[in-house]
Amino acid sequence: MRTHYTNQLKDLENGTYVTICGWIQEIRNIGNIAFIIVRDREGIAQVTLLKNDHGDEEFQKIVSLSRESTICVKGKINKNTKSKLGVEIYPEKIDILSIAEAPLPMGVVDKVSVDIETRLNERFMDLRRPEVLSLFKVESSLGKSIRRTLEEDGFLEVHTPKIIATATEGGTNLFKVKYFEKDAYLVQSPQLYKQIMMAAGFDRVYEIAPAFRAEEHNTTRHLNEFISIDIEMSFATHEDAMSLLEKVITNAIEFVIKNNKDDMNRLNLNWKIPERPFPRVTYSELLDYVNKNGVEMKFGEDFSSEALELIGKKYKEFYFITRWPMETRAFYVMPCEDDPTFGKAFDLQYGEREITSGAQRNHNYNSLKENIEKKGLDPKSFEFYLEAFKYGMPPHAGWAIGLERLTMILTGVKNIREVTLFPRDRKRVVP
Ligand code: ATP
């Protein structure tokens, strides 16, 4: 149907024939001439309709079309125009594809602010708004670049099951589903399976897939279904995993800067490519820091939002928190050789916010089994996983980035729902 997107018109020769398709954003009728603003995914174009050329009846039919109706316009490019866009189309044929009902559930380009609940209820309409679309274009580019970096680094894409019998890290936050005569759960993370892939000799794997967590609280940075970008790599330490993560993040930012100029302008983003390596601070150093600065915290506790706020004032951009106490981390983390109270785990943070968790994993069958027991879990439910550690398991490490969390943090939106097409939260399962 279409020959060009609206943003391609300005580069064409005068007189070129084009067909554009999109939504009627606005019609200004000034008597014998009407200006129709047509919007598609890439921008807007002006269609200049002259009554003399089309006859009274046709002219009236078109100018009375409702806003947000869809049309295709075939016509000729004119660059000698006073239009702000620098180019207009003189239409020869306008196909009316679908007429929008009025009133609209919400405006697309109106300046009036609409609350987030209405926006999410009428999400298809909200997603037509250019600034909302820009957020998803940035998210798409981040995902695309991350995938590219991983592919270039020799990672194989895998797809692990999302319906499982065992909780990854114990029983909390799980969604139970009926699985014929049995109970099963929606997966919280592909952790156990991506580790099994290391035993399978796949060496380096990645997966970009939904993860499900029955989050107790309705926060602005948690979803009940999010996209987890997971990697696992063999013959590798936590240091290797951190270096890869730095590269993945830096490349992704560079990719957006290069490919999303319009979106960055529209969203007022002023990114610079971060320097590598990112700073590394240990858990203990930060524990000391927060205690000295008025936020009380005991060894073995996770950082509270208050503590993270304080830390975020000192470390404003990317940094790693390393050397976590084993008691704060999952059973599969590899303990440090010099002091097994600590584990080879890390979080990538941006200011006060967590983007990624990762670690070198424990690949020793006996001590892994012990750690499962220490956490109060039953090794029997992990048999299928533990089995993979008995017959030759390479040392390995990995991490998981939440795609929406990353996009939220980099674009500075206050609510993770802004960068989720159809968010699932405590109250929302529709649309
Ligand atoms: P948080 O402390 O932020 O709740 P977590 O420690 O539970 O996160 P991990 O299990 O380490 O998170 O998950 C890895 C990454 O997945 C996190 O760094 C984050 O980017 C993302 N993530 C985790 N839970 C959610 C969620 N409920 N909604 C959106 N993203 C999430």
Side-chain angles (χ1 to χ4, degrees):
M1 281 187 181
R2 150 200 303 133
T3 61
H4 293 82
Y5 280 120
T6 53
N7 66 336
Q8 296 170 318
L9 304 182
K10 60 182 184 308
D11 301 327
L12 301 175
E13 298 284 319
N14 235 351
T16 314
Y17 272 97
V18 296
T19 304
I20 61 158
C21 298
W23 286 257
I24 296 177
Q25 181 163 299
E26 193 191 336
I27 298 180
R28 263 179 300 134
N29 177 9
I30 52 172
N32 291 328
I33 183 165
F35 303 104
I36 307 166
I37 303 299
V38 178
R39 188 187 68 248
D40 64 16
R41 194 185 71 188
E42 302 304 328
I44 54 171
Q46 177 178 302
V47 176
T48 305
L49 186 71
L50 304 170
K51 196 186 272 179
N52 275 348
D53 291 353
H54 291 266
D56 207 22
E57 196 182 329
E58 172 83 357
F59 184 86
Q60 283 313 328
K61 189 169 127 197
I62 291 168
V63 297
S64 57
L65 284 172
S66 49
R67 283 208 292 168
E68 297 301 313
S69 295
T70 48
I71 57 173
C72 279
V73 180
K74 184 176 179 202
K76 251 200 274 189
I77 289 289
N78 175 35
K79 294 177 120 169
N80 313 320
T81 165
K82 288 190 198 118
S83 145
K84 261 202 308 222
L85 301 166
V87 56
E88 65 191 335
I89 298 174
Y90 284 137
E92 290 195 355
K93 187 161 175 279
I94 298 184
D95 283 329
I96 302 164
L97 306 176
S98 148
I99 294 180
E101 284 183 25
L104 299 169
M106 60 176 282
V108 172
V109 287
D110 311 357
K111 290 280 177 282
V112 281
S113 71
V114 184
D115 64 89
I116 183 97
E117 287 303 313
T118 309
R119 289 180 45 207
L120 294 177
N121 287 338
E122 309 295 345
R123 193 56 158 162
F124 72 95
M125 206 72 199
D126 184 48
L127 293 167
R128 289 186 193 176
R129 295 164 69 201
E131 65 278 17
V132 177
L133 174 60
S134 278
L135 288 171
F136 287 95
K137 283 185 173 173
V138 169
E139 188 166 75
S140 166
S141 287
L142 289 171
K144 194 183 285 178
S145 165
I146 292 171
R147 184 184 285 279
R148 271 191 198 173
T149 305
L150 294 173
E151 288 283 342
E152 278 165 17
D153 262 38
F155 281 78
L156 290 181
E157 182 169 18
V158 295
H159 304 284
T160 62
K162 302 300 152 212
I163 304 175
I164 51 156
T166 316
T168 312
E169 299 178 24
T172 58
N173 292 357
L174 277 173
F175 284 113
K176 198 190 256 189
V177 291
K178 254 177 97 173
Y179 194 72
F180 306 105
E181 294 78 33
K182 291 193 193 119
D183 284 338
Y185 304 94
L186 297 181
V187 80
Q188 294 165 298
S189 141
Q191 182 64 33
L192 306 185
Y193 288 95
K194 60 180 184 164
Q195 288 193 259
I196 294 175
M197 296 318 293
M198 299 300 97
F202 276 42
D203 200 66
R204 297 173 151 222
V205 299
Y206 77 97
E207 177 164 13
I208 303 180
F212 304 91
R213 299 203 185 169
E215 299 286 358
E216 273 297 315
H217 308 290
N218 222 8
T219 82
T220 51
R221 55 175 210 288
H222 290 97
L223 298 161
N224 292 332
E225 177 178 346
F226 67 95
I227 297 299
S228 186
I229 304 175
D230 268 88
I231 71 114
E232 203 66 31
M233 58 206 285
S234 281
F235 305 103
T237 66
H238 57 303
E239 285 292 342
D240 298 321
M242 284 195 276
S243 306
L244 172 71
L245 181 55
E246 285 170 333
K247 181 157 90 177
V248 160
I249 295 284
T250 313
N251 284 356
I253 290 175
E254 193 173 352
F255 186 86
V256 173
I257 292 175
K258 224 186 249 165
N259 295 287
N260 294 74
K261 290 201 171 74
D262 288 351
D263 302 305
M264 292 195 60
N265 281 337
R266 190 171 290 127
L267 297 170
N268 268 325
L269 299 178
N270 193 9
W271 295 358
K272 54 183 193 320
I273 302 167
E275 262 176 48
R276 287 189 265 165
F278 301 161
R280 285 147 166 74
V281 230
T282 63
Y283 170 93
S284 304
E285 283 172 82
L286 289 178
L287 178 71
D288 228 33
Y289 177 74
V290 298
N291 275 318
K292 279 190 182 135
N293 287 278
V295 178
E296 226 174 276
M297 189 180 143
K298 290 197 193 69
F299 182 85
E301 282 174 7
D302 206 343
F303 296 103
S304 61
S305 29
E306 210 187 350
L308 287 171
E309 204 178 306
L310 182 66
I311 296 166
K313 286 193 180 122
K314 183 166 177 191
Y315 296 94
K316 296 198 168 71
E317 298 185 354
F318 293 105
Y319 61 99
F320 286 107
I321 307 179
T322 60
R323 236 176 126 83
W324 287 79
M326 281 301 282
E327 58 198 285
T328 63
R329 295 276 130 159
F331 63 80
Y332 48 76
V333 167
M334 177 66 110
C336 293
E337 281 102 9
D338 62 339
D339 184 352
T341 332
F342 295 99
K344 297 183 177 182
F346 58 86
D347 274 2
L348 175 66
Q349 299 271 135
Y350 188 90
E352 60 184 274
R353 297 255 185 271
E354 176 191 327
I355 298 179
T356 313
S357 275
Q360 183 174 331
R361 324 298 189 185
N362 191 342
H363 63 283
N364 178 291
Y365 173 82
N366 290 324
S367 99
L368 184 60
K369 196 169 165 210
E370 253 170 51
N371 279 343
I372 290 178
E373 281 159 358
K374 259 194 226 158
K375 293 273 176 196
L377 300 168
D378 180 4
K380 274 216 187 71
S381 11
F382 292 90
E383 250 164 25
F384 75 99
Y385 165 74
L386 283 169
E387 187 73 1
F389 289 73
K390 283 195 204 161
Y391 307 99
M393 174 61 107
H396 58 280
W399 43 251
I401 307 175
L403 177 62
E404 299 89 346
R405 185 75 69 81
L406 176 68
T407 313
M408 169 192 185
I409 289 168
L410 291 179
T411 58
V413 297
K414 296 280 179 287
N415 190 332
I416 197 164
R417 292 161 186 76
E418 296 270 0
V419 290
T420 311
L421 287 176
F422 301 101
R424 296 290 175 253
D425 64 28
R426 191 75 197 231
K427 290 192 231 129
R428 186 177 286 280
V429 233
V430 177

